[in-house]
Protein backbone atom coordinates (compact mmCIF):
# COMPACT_ATOMS: atom_id res chain seq x y z
CA UNK A 1 0.00 0.00 0.00
CA UNK A 2 1.06 3.54 -0.71
CA UNK A 3 -0.55 6.69 0.63
CA UNK A 4 -0.14 10.25 -0.57
CA UNK A 5 -0.41 12.44 2.50
CA UNK A 6 -0.31 15.65 0.43
CA UNK A 7 -3.12 14.45 -1.85
CA UNK A 8 -6.57 16.06 -1.86
CA UNK A 9 -8.12 12.62 -1.36
CA UNK A 10 -8.55 11.94 2.37
CA UNK A 11 -6.38 9.15 3.78
CA UNK A 12 -9.38 7.05 4.82
CA UNK A 13 -10.61 7.07 1.20
CA UNK A 14 -7.14 6.15 -0.03
CA UNK A 15 -7.14 3.22 2.40
CA UNK A 16 -10.56 2.06 1.20
CA UNK A 17 -9.48 2.50 -2.42
CA UNK A 18 -6.26 0.53 -2.00
CA UNK A 19 -7.97 -2.35 -0.23
CA UNK A 20 -10.73 -2.34 -2.85
CA UNK A 21 -8.10 -2.45 -5.60
CA UNK A 22 -6.45 -5.39 -3.81
CA UNK A 23 -9.77 -7.23 -3.75
CA UNK A 24 -10.38 -6.48 -7.44
CA UNK A 25 -6.94 -7.68 -8.53
CA UNK A 26 -7.04 -10.78 -6.34
CA UNK A 27 -4.42 -9.73 -3.82
CA UNK A 28 -7.19 -10.24 -1.26
CA UNK A 29 -9.29 -13.12 -2.63
CA UNK A 30 -12.81 -13.94 -1.38
CA UNK A 31 -12.93 -15.00 2.26
CA UNK A 32 -9.31 -13.96 2.88
CA UNK A 33 -8.36 -11.82 5.83
CA UNK A 34 -7.17 -8.29 5.17
CA UNK A 35 -4.54 -6.56 7.31
CA UNK A 36 -5.87 -5.33 10.63
CA UNK A 37 -6.47 -1.71 11.53
CA UNK A 38 -3.54 -1.93 13.94
CA UNK A 39 -1.20 -3.42 11.31
CA UNK A 40 -1.98 -0.72 8.77
CA UNK A 41 -1.84 2.12 11.29
CA UNK A 42 1.54 0.98 12.64
CA UNK A 43 3.10 0.20 9.26
CA UNK A 44 2.13 3.54 7.70
CA UNK A 45 1.98 5.70 10.84
CA UNK A 46 -1.70 6.49 10.35
CA UNK A 47 -4.21 7.09 13.13
CA UNK A 48 -6.14 3.83 13.77
CA UNK A 49 -9.44 5.75 13.68
CA UNK A 50 -8.60 6.90 10.14
CA UNK A 51 -7.84 3.34 9.06
CA UNK A 52 -11.06 2.11 10.65
CA UNK A 53 -13.06 4.81 8.85
CA UNK A 54 -11.72 3.57 5.52
CA UNK A 55 -12.47 -0.03 6.38
CA UNK A 56 -15.96 0.86 7.52
CA UNK A 57 -16.65 2.28 4.06
CA UNK A 58 -15.89 -1.16 2.63
CA UNK A 59 -18.07 -2.84 5.27
CA UNK A 60 -20.95 -0.53 4.30
CA UNK A 61 -20.46 -1.49 0.63
CA UNK A 62 -20.54 -5.18 1.57
CA UNK A 63 -16.98 -5.78 0.34
CA UNK A 64 -15.52 -6.81 3.69
CA UNK A 65 -17.09 -8.10 6.86
CA UNK A 66 -16.10 -8.10 10.50
CA UNK A 67 -15.75 -11.47 12.13
CA UNK A 68 -15.83 -10.89 15.84
CA UNK A 69 -12.52 -11.69 17.47
CA UNK A 70 -10.93 -12.71 14.16
CA UNK A 71 -10.66 -9.56 12.04
CA UNK A 72 -11.88 -8.29 8.69
CA UNK A 73 -12.48 -10.64 5.77
CA UNK A 74 -13.33 -10.20 2.10
CA UNK A 75 -16.91 -11.19 1.32
CA UNK A 76 -17.59 -13.91 -1.23
CA UNK A 77 -19.29 -11.42 -3.58
CA UNK A 78 -16.83 -8.52 -3.23
CA UNK A 79 -14.90 -9.04 -6.44
CA UNK A 80 -18.11 -9.42 -8.46
CA UNK A 81 -19.54 -6.25 -6.89
CA UNK A 82 -16.41 -4.24 -7.69
CA UNK A 83 -16.36 -5.57 -11.25
CA UNK A 84 -20.02 -4.61 -11.76
CA UNK A 85 -19.43 -1.14 -10.28
CA UNK A 86 -16.45 -0.58 -12.57
CA UNK A 87 -18.41 -1.77 -15.61
CA UNK A 88 -21.19 0.68 -14.72
CA UNK A 89 -18.66 3.51 -14.33
CA UNK A 90 -17.03 2.52 -17.65
CA UNK A 91 -20.41 2.75 -19.34
CA UNK A 92 -21.24 6.09 -17.72
CA UNK A 93 -17.87 7.70 -18.44
CA UNK A 94 -16.92 6.21 -21.80
CA UNK A 95 -19.61 4.25 -23.61
CA UNK A 96 -22.42 6.76 -23.18
CA UNK A 97 -20.22 9.60 -24.47
CA UNK A 98 -18.94 7.33 -27.26
CA UNK A 99 -22.48 6.58 -28.43
CA UNK A 100 -23.49 10.24 -28.24
CA UNK A 101 -20.50 11.22 -30.39
CA UNK A 102 -21.24 8.38 -32.82
CA UNK A 103 -24.84 9.54 -33.18
CA UNK A 104 -23.64 13.06 -33.91
CA UNK A 105 -21.36 11.62 -36.61
CA UNK A 106 -24.37 9.68 -37.98
CA UNK A 107 -22.64 6.33 -37.38
CA UNK A 108 -24.95 3.33 -37.17
CA UNK A 109 -24.68 0.56 -34.63
CA UNK A 110 -23.12 -1.64 -37.34
CA UNK A 111 -20.59 1.11 -38.11
CA UNK A 112 -19.63 1.23 -34.44
CA UNK A 113 -19.28 -2.54 -34.20
CA UNK A 114 -17.04 -2.50 -37.28
CA UNK A 115 -14.86 0.21 -35.70
CA UNK A 116 -14.60 -1.73 -32.45
CA UNK A 117 -13.68 -4.91 -34.32
CA UNK A 118 -11.03 -2.95 -36.22
CA UNK A 119 -9.59 -1.79 -32.92
CA UNK A 120 -9.38 -5.37 -31.64
CA UNK A 121 -7.62 -6.52 -34.81
CA UNK A 122 -4.66 -4.37 -33.82
CA UNK A 123 -4.08 -6.48 -30.69
Amino acid sequence: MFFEFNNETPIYRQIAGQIEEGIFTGVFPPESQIPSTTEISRQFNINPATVLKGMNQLVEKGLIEKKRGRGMFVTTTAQKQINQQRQDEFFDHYVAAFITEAQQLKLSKDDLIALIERGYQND
Side-chain angles (χ1 to χ4, degrees):
M1 287 189 209
F2 173 76
F3 303 104
E4 296 181 39
F5 294 96
N6 296 326
N7 191 320
E8 290 181 17
T9 305
I11 298 298
Y12 74 92
R13 285 194 182 155
Q14 290 183 48
I15 291 166
Q18 296 236 352
I19 294 170
E20 185 174 312
E21 183 67 19
I23 293 168
F24 179 69
T25 61
V27 172
F28 302 121
E31 300 184 21
S32 69
Q33 187 172 12
I34 62 169
S36 71
T37 302
T38 305
E39 287 176 83
I40 295 172
S41 65
R42 282 187 184 156
Q43 184 175 358
F44 299 100
N45 199 27
I46 299 172
N47 184 316
T50 301
V51 176
L52 184 60
K53 187 173 181 179
M55 288 186 174
N56 281 336
Q57 283 193 321
L58 300 177
V59 170
E60 289 172 15
K61 288 178 155 184
L63 302 178
I64 62 174
E65 61 187 347
K66 299 175 187 178
K67 293 190 179 180
R68 191 173 179 186
R70 294 182 53 213
M72 300 278 209
F73 291 81
V74 178
T75 62
T76 57
T77 61
Q79 200 170 40
K80 184 177 181 181
Q81 283 178 254
I82 295 168
N83 192 36
Q84 184 61 54
Q85 175 190 337
R86 289 184 180 198
Q87 285 182 21
D88 292 345
E89 289 170 358
F90 180 79
F91 178 83
D92 293 343
H93 291 102
Y94 300 103
V95 176
F98 175 73
I99 291 171
T100 300
E101 181 71 17
Q103 289 170 336
Q104 290 173 349
L105 293 169
K106 308 270 190 266
L107 293 170
S108 70
K109 181 179 174 182
D110 290 335
D111 293 334
L112 285 178
I113 291 169
L115 288 171
I116 291 168
E117 287 174 346
R118 187 171 92 190
Y120 273 101
Q121 288 173 0
N122 294 331
D123 279 351

